Structure formats: C-alpha cells, structure tokens
C-alpha cells in the first residue's frame, strides 16, 4: 500500500522561475503506487495504461488512467522483474527481464498472479551476479536491453552489457564494459540514440540507423559529474519529448533534468519530494503527463517509492513502443 502521509494527499506545486516566462508544473502521487524499486515506466496507448515494475519484488504494475487505479501482479516463480514491455499484436503478453532471461509473461492486467509462458532468450551464463535492468523497444520494435551486476560493486565490476534482439531471434551485443545499463531514448528526426550507463555519470548520443538498428559514433552530450565522486549525480532512466529534449532521472538527486542534447543545456529542473528518481515516461490521452518512478532503497523515508505524475510541463512525448516478436 502507498504510505499514508498528509504530504502525499496534498498536491505539490512547484514554481520555477525561468528567464521568460515563468513556468509552473504540478507533481502528484498516483494512488496505491508504492514500489520498493519502481522502474521501467511504459505508456500503452491502446490500453490507456502505464506499465511499470517493482523490480526486486518480481512484480508488474498497471495504472489505468480512466479508472485512476493501480493493479499489481506477482510473476509466479520469479523474484526479479527488470522491465516490462507489451508484445505487439497481443492483449495479454509481455516481455519481462527476469534475472538474465527475457521471458514472455501472460497477464490480463488485473489478476494478482502472472505466469511465464516461455523464455525469449538468455545472456551471460558466466555471470550469476548479473541481471537485466532497463530496456525499451526502438521505434521499429527491436528490443534493447542491458544488464548490470546486482551482487557486489557494479562501479568496480563492470560486467554489464547492452543487447539488441530482433524478431526472428537474433541477439547481438551493442556495448560491453557497462556498469549499470540504464536509460534509453531515440530521436527519429535527429537520427540519434541516447544511452545511459549510470556508472559513467553521463548521457551519450549515438548516430542511429533506424533501418538496420546499428548505433555508432558515441559522444557525451550531458555530464553529471560534480566536484568529487561523493557529489556525482547518478543518471538513471530517461525519456524524450517531441522537440528532442531529454528528461534524465537522477537516482540520488530528487530531480529530473530536462536537457537539450544539442547544447547540453539544462532547460528545466523538475523537483520531486523524494531522492531516488529512477525513470520517467510521457503518457496520458494527450501524451503530456510525465510519469515518474522512484525507489525506497537504503531506508529512504516516506514518500520514497511513490510513483508520480507531473503536469503543466508544456511538453509532449511519445507513447511506448511494443516489442515485435
């Protein structure tokens, strides 16, 4: 259940003075949205629902916009759920990262228990301490999914990798030497792919061939390093708006940074009432609501773990892309 705090019942209105004009945005909690490690928000247009995971509980969550209600399910036999992506052409099948496997899960969006139907593919059998983390489908429906070490120090043991999977079963390595594979976004207009390895403290852009799914020419476009390692902001999940601006969640920074990837300029700082901001996705009927997941790791106080909606940003995003299999 969502922790009951008076503050969670009150709309948090934040006024941010910009040079011209003043922009206001509103931050509100979603009902019954607590997740110990909320991650991977995905807006599904057909269902008008936000899907996400409670990662370390092996749980999937669905927020129904019209009902203003959250549904949760436990994946039978699984303890981890790194991400959830609807399968194109199906109403009740989803790709989920369970440990080092990507599995197909059957869930009607309501039932409290979901079942694994089959394994799509598995990676890194030599690294039992690894698991899948963030993943998305590119605009053509290809799966990009990355791993990380979840036992031990992922900043020291960079055993993570980023993979691409395409319909037909072909798996290819996109990037190795990854600490924590995290945020992903694509911009078809700019022909770019954006990627975050949290342990690099930066956002990289790649030239992206949308026909072949090949990323090349990495370039740092936003650096979150501060004066010393203990002050570094940890970039986590990420999304993009229709104008090409990135929204970068900071795990220890209580902030989402709206960034112009061409200049690296921070256009807006979206403040949240808890520190561990894990990811964000645009959704709602007009794709102008920014949904934000958070975590309650390491004894963070309430309202840590709450999922929020941010309105009044005067920006629109893209719906989540279903995986083509």
């Amino acid at each position: 259940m969502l922790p009951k705090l008076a503050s969670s019942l009150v709309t948090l209105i934040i006024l941010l003075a910009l040079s011209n004009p003043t922009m206001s945005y509103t931050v509100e909690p979603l009902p019954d949205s607590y997740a110990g490690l909320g991650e991977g928000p995905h807006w599904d247009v057909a269902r008008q629902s936000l899907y996400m995971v409670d990662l370390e509980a092996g749980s999937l969550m669905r927020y129904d916009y019209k009902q203003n209600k959250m549904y949760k399910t436990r994946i039978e036999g699984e303890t981890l759920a790194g991400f959830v992506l609807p399968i194109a052409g199906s109403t009740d099948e989803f790709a989920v990262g369970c440990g080092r496997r990507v599995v197909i899960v059957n869930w009607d969006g309501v039932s409290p228990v979901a079942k694994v139907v089959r394994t799509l593919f598995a990676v890194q059998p030599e690294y039992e301490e690894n698991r899948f983390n963030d993943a998305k489908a590119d605009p053509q429906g290809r799966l990009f999914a990355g791993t990380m070490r979840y036992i031990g120090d992922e900043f020291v043991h960079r055993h993570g990798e980023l993979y691409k999977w395409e319909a037909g079963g072909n798996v290819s390595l996109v990037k190795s030497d990854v600490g924590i594979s995290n945020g992903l976004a694509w911009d078809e207009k700019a022909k770019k792919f954006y990627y975050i390895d949290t342990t690099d403290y930066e956002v990289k852009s790649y030239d992206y061939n949308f026909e072949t799914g090949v990323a090349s020419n990495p370039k740092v476009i936003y650096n979150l390093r501060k004066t010393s390692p203990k002050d570094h902001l940890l970039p986590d999940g990420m999304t993009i708006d229709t104008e090409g601006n990135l929204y970068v969640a900071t795990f220890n920074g209580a902030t989402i940074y709206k960034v112009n990837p061409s200049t690296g300029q921070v256009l807006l700082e979206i403040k949240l009432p808890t520190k561990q901001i894990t990811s964000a996705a645009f959704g709602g009927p007009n794709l102008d609501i920014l949904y934000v997941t958070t975590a309650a790791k390491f004894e963070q106080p309430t309202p840590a773990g709450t999922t929020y909606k941010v309105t009044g940003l005067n920006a629109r995003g893209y719906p989540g892309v279903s995986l083509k299999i």
Side-chain angles (χ1 to χ4, degrees), residues 1-4 8-9 29-35 52 54 59-63 68-73 305-308:
M1 295 291 292
L2 180 68
K4 294 181 179 179
S8 70
L9 302 177
L30 296 186
D32 193 27
S33 64
Y34 174 82
M52 53 179 281
D54 187 349
S59 176
L60 309 182
M61 302 169 67
R62 180 179 73 89
Y63 170 69
N68 190 33
K69 182 177 180 179
M70 188 73 76
Y71 295 90
K72 302 179 182 180
T73 190
T306 300
T307 305
Y308 294 93

Side-chain angles (χ1 to χ4, degrees), residues 40-58:
H42 174 102
W43 180 258
D44 186 273
V45 170
R47 301 172 180 89
Q48 287 293 289
S49 292
L50 180 78
Y51 289 90
M52 53 179 281
V53 300
D54 187 349
L55 199 154
E56 294 178 337

Side-chain angles (χ1 to χ4, degrees), residues 188-267:
E188 289 189 273
K189 298 174 187 174
K191 298 181 180 179
K192 294 291 185 181
F193 164 57
Y194 300 101
Y195 176 66
I196 290 172
D197 176 350
T198 298
T199 60
D200 286 341
Y201 310 107
E202 59 196 21
V203 182
K204 290 186 175 75
S205 73
Y206 292 77
D207 296 331
Y208 192 73
N209 187 317
F210 284 86
E211 291 185 7
T212 63
V214 174
S216 59
N217 302 322
K219 176 185 176 183
V220 177
I221 55 98
Y222 182 48
N223 190 334
L224 285 85
R225 291 179 183 83
K226 298 297 182 181
T227 54
S228 67
K230 66 181 177 63
D231 296 325
H232 293 340
L233 289 172
L234 298 177
D236 203 313
M238 173 172 54
T239 193
I240 190 169
D241 67 22
T242 56
E243 294 182 351
N245 299 305
L246 300 174
Y247 295 71
V248 181
T250 57
F251 185 77
N252 59 355
T255 306
I256 290 178
Y257 291 91
K258 178 180 179 180
V259 179
N260 180 330
S262 298
T263 64
Q265 178 186 2
V266 175
L267 304 176

Side-chain angles (χ1 to χ4, degrees), residues 7-288:
S7 60
S8 70
L9 302 177
V10 178
T11 297
L12 174 66
I13 300 192
I14 302 175
L15 297 177
L16 185 70
L18 297 178
S19 55
N20 184 27
T22 297
M23 173 183 285
S24 64
Y25 58 86
T26 304
V27 179
E28 300 173 272
L30 296 186
D32 193 27
S33 64
Y34 174 82
L37 181 49
E39 266 287 6
H42 174 102
W43 180 258
D44 186 273
V45 170
R47 301 172 180 89
Q48 287 293 289
S49 292
L50 180 78
Y51 289 90
M52 53 179 281
V53 300
D54 187 349
L55 199 154
E56 294 178 337
S59 176
L60 309 182
M61 302 169 67
R62 180 179 73 89
Y63 170 69
D64 189 300
Y65 178 85
K66 293 178 182 178
Q67 297 179 8
N68 190 33
K69 182 177 180 179
M70 188 73 76
Y71 295 90
K72 302 179 182 180
T73 190
R74 177 181 57 83
I75 304 175
E76 192 173 65
E78 302 295 339
T79 58
L80 297 169
F83 62 87
V84 56
L85 293 173
I87 300 300
S90 174
T91 59
D92 57 4
E93 287 189 326
F94 301 84
V96 181
C98 294
R100 299 183 310 282
R101 297 149 46 237
V102 174
V103 301
I104 303 300
V105 170
N106 187 281
W107 184 39
D108 61 8
V110 176
S111 302
V113 178
K115 293 189 176 184
V116 174
V117 177
R118 62 188 174 97
T119 296
L120 203 58
F121 67 96
V123 299
Q124 296 190 304
E126 72 278 20
Y127 289 122
E128 295 183 359
E129 303 88 356
N130 278 20
R131 65 163 173 80
F132 273 109
N133 196 43
D134 209 352
K136 286 181 182 176
D138 78 354
Q140 278 64 39
R142 307 178 185 96
L143 175 65
F144 279 69
T147 59
M148 60 172 283
R149 187 184 179 101
Y150 77 99
I151 299 174
D153 190 340
E154 59 273 68
F155 284 81
V156 175
H157 303 286
R158 296 171 59 89
H159 295 163
E161 293 179 326
L162 177 64
Y163 297 91
K164 177 179 66 177
W165 182 91
E166 300 186 64
N170 296 319
V171 182
S172 58
L173 180 65
V174 177
K175 190 181 188 307
S176 58
D177 186 32
V178 172
I180 302 174
S181 189
N182 240 316
L184 310 106
W186 288 264
D187 187 335
E188 289 189 273
K189 298 174 187 174
K191 298 181 180 179
K192 294 291 185 181
F193 164 57
Y194 300 101
Y195 176 66
I196 290 172
D197 176 350
T198 298
T199 60
D200 286 341
Y201 310 107
E202 59 196 21
V203 182
K204 290 186 175 75
S205 73
Y206 292 77
D207 296 331
Y208 192 73
N209 187 317
F210 284 86
E211 291 185 7
T212 63
V214 174
S216 59
N217 302 322
K219 176 185 176 183
V220 177
I221 55 98
Y222 182 48
N223 190 334
L224 285 85
R225 291 179 183 83
K226 298 297 182 181
T227 54
S228 67
K230 66 181 177 63
D231 296 325
H232 293 340
L233 289 172
L234 298 177
D236 203 313
M238 173 172 54
T239 193
I240 190 169
D241 67 22
T242 56
E243 294 182 351
N245 299 305
L246 300 174
Y247 295 71
V248 181
T250 57
F251 185 77
N252 59 355
T255 306
I256 290 178
Y257 291 91
K258 178 180 179 180
V259 179
N260 180 330
S262 298
T263 64
Q265 178 186 2
V266 175
L267 304 176
L268 180 67
E269 296 183 11
I270 303 170
K271 297 295 184 180
L272 283 299
T274 185
K275 280 183 68 174
Q276 298 172 348
I277 315 305
T278 56
S279 195
F282 279 98
N286 300 313
L287 298 171
D288 59 355

